[in-house]
Amino acid sequence: MLYLAGLILVLVILGLAITKAPNRNIQRAAAVVPAGHVGVQDFFGSVSDRYLQPGVRVVNPMVDVHKMSVRTQELMETARVPSSEGLIVSLDVSLLFNLNPEKAPDVYRTLGPGYAEVFVIPQLRSYVRGATASFEAKALYTSGREMIAEEILRELAQVFEERGISNATILLRNIDLPRVVSDAIEQKLKAEQESEQMRFVLERERQEAERKRIEAQGISDFQRIVAQGIDERLLRWKGIEATENLATSQNAKVVIVGGQDGLPLILNTGQ
């Protein structure tokens, strides 16, 4: 704690001294590197390989310190690119990337502070055109978008890493096809969906027909089993039971019994 308090006190005193110092060189002896940045030291054209971390840093008063962002940056690009059929497609692309802090001095030395305009954007444009040229317009319009993004990123990643650009990500925001092509694709997709729906309906009807066939077969088997179990003795017994119930019924006034089996005349079809 004492060490930390002493360090803070020293920094405060140093800051006040720099503010009050009339000498420009004394003020330049301390550099403030903002959060999310690194400092690149340029001594009359000689760029140091050691970069400065964020914070207050003591430097050579003769050194120019250039702050370079290492935060995630987004570049948006709209390009008219060809498909494999030769159609021209309007493509909106976003590139997310970071500057590799360890390679910041080399990027400053070889590309300069405007490395995004000098290197990143031209490379993105070039590889976007090369990637879409191997895909049909339909792929650009449907699920092939992810494949296109992966293709662009695969080509760019190696080039970017070599030049100090890391964590690259490609996002395809929007794709505009020629009106005639987009209408044709939509009609084809609609026809495919209708065909798929019809296959579903036919399959459902087939299953329903199969269900009815199984049901009919069950009824037929039931009737066959019942028919096999009915014989003359069972019918005679049922007739006797019916006669007994008829005789004991309160609604019955006259019971006519006839026939050689003692069954009611109306039931005895043999007479």
Side-chain angles (χ1 to χ4, degrees):
M1 293 294 294
L2 293 177
Y3 173 78
L4 180 59
L7 179 60
I8 295 175
L9 180 60
V10 171
L11 292 177
V12 171
I13 295 174
L14 180 61
L16 293 175
I18 292 174
T19 304
K20 300 298 182 179
N23 192 334
R24 175 81 176 165
N25 290 334
I26 297 178
Q27 295 182 14
R28 291 170 56 91
V32 179
V33 181
H37 293 69
V38 293
V40 177
Q41 304 176 77
D42 185 355
F43 182 69
F44 296 105
S46 177
V47 179
S48 173
D49 291 331
R50 296 177 62 252
Y51 62 92
L52 301 178
Q53 296 281 2
V56 178
R57 305 298 172 189
V58 178
V59 297
N60 186 339
M62 304 299 292
V63 168
D64 290 328
V65 178
H66 299 274
K67 288 85 172 179
M68 302 183 70
S69 174
V70 293
R71 294 172 176 169
T72 299
Q73 303 180 55
E74 179 185 14
L75 288 178
M76 293 185 291
E77 181 69 18
T78 299
R80 294 179 58 81
V81 296
S83 66
S84 61
E85 308 101 315
L87 299 174
I88 301 301
V89 179
S90 179
L91 187 64
D92 293 339
V93 182
S94 284
L95 170 65
L96 304 179
F97 67 95
N98 297 86
L99 174 65
N100 187 343
E102 297 181 354
K103 293 189 176 181
D106 187 59
V107 171
Y108 176 82
R109 185 184 298 113
T110 58
L111 299 175
Y115 62 92
E117 292 77 14
V118 173
F119 175 73
V120 178
I121 293 179
Q123 292 293 329
L124 175 62
R125 291 173 179 171
S126 175
Y127 283 103
V128 165
R129 287 180 171 83
T132 58
S134 60
F135 288 89
E136 296 181 354
K138 179 181 177 180
L140 300 175
Y141 193 74
T142 55
S143 59
R145 297 174 60 164
E146 294 182 1
M147 298 176 59
I148 297 170
E150 292 175 358
E151 179 70 19
I152 297 172
L153 183 59
R154 184 166 51 252
E155 297 292 338
L156 282 174
Q158 183 176 357
V159 177
F160 279 178
E161 288 292 340
E162 293 175 353
R163 300 304 296 270
I165 309 300
S166 60
N167 302 324
T169 302
I170 294 293
L171 302 175
L172 299 184
R173 303 193 316 273
N174 185 44
I175 297 176
D176 289 330
L177 298 176
R179 184 67 181 178
V180 176
V181 177
S182 60
D183 289 345
I185 293 175
E186 290 178 357
Q187 291 175 3
K188 182 178 180 181
L189 294 176
K190 182 179 179 181
E192 291 176 353
Q193 292 176 353
E194 292 176 349
S195 177
E196 186 66 24
Q197 182 179 6
M198 182 57 65
R199 281 196 294 268
F200 171 76
V201 172
L202 293 177
E203 178 63 19
R204 185 180 62 185
E205 294 297 330
R206 186 192 66 78
Q207 293 177 354
E208 179 65 16
E210 181 67 15
R211 185 192 67 79
K212 291 181 179 179
R213 186 191 67 79
I214 295 175
E215 181 181 9
Q217 183 63 41
I219 296 174
S220 176
D221 293 343
F222 171 76
Q223 292 176 344
R224 177 176 54 79
I225 294 172
V226 171
Q228 291 176 352
I230 298 177
D231 58 8
E232 186 67 24
R233 290 175 298 177
L234 177 61
L235 293 176
R236 185 178 296 111
W237 175 254
K238 292 296 183 182
I240 294 172
E241 286 184 344
T243 302
E244 181 180 358
N245 293 332
L246 182 62
T248 58
S249 174
Q250 295 179 358
N251 296 326
K253 302 302 182 181
V254 179
V255 178
I256 302 176
V257 179
Q260 60 182 1
D261 294 329
L263 299 177
L265 183 62
I266 57 174
L267 297 178
N268 191 352
T269 57
Q271 293 293 333

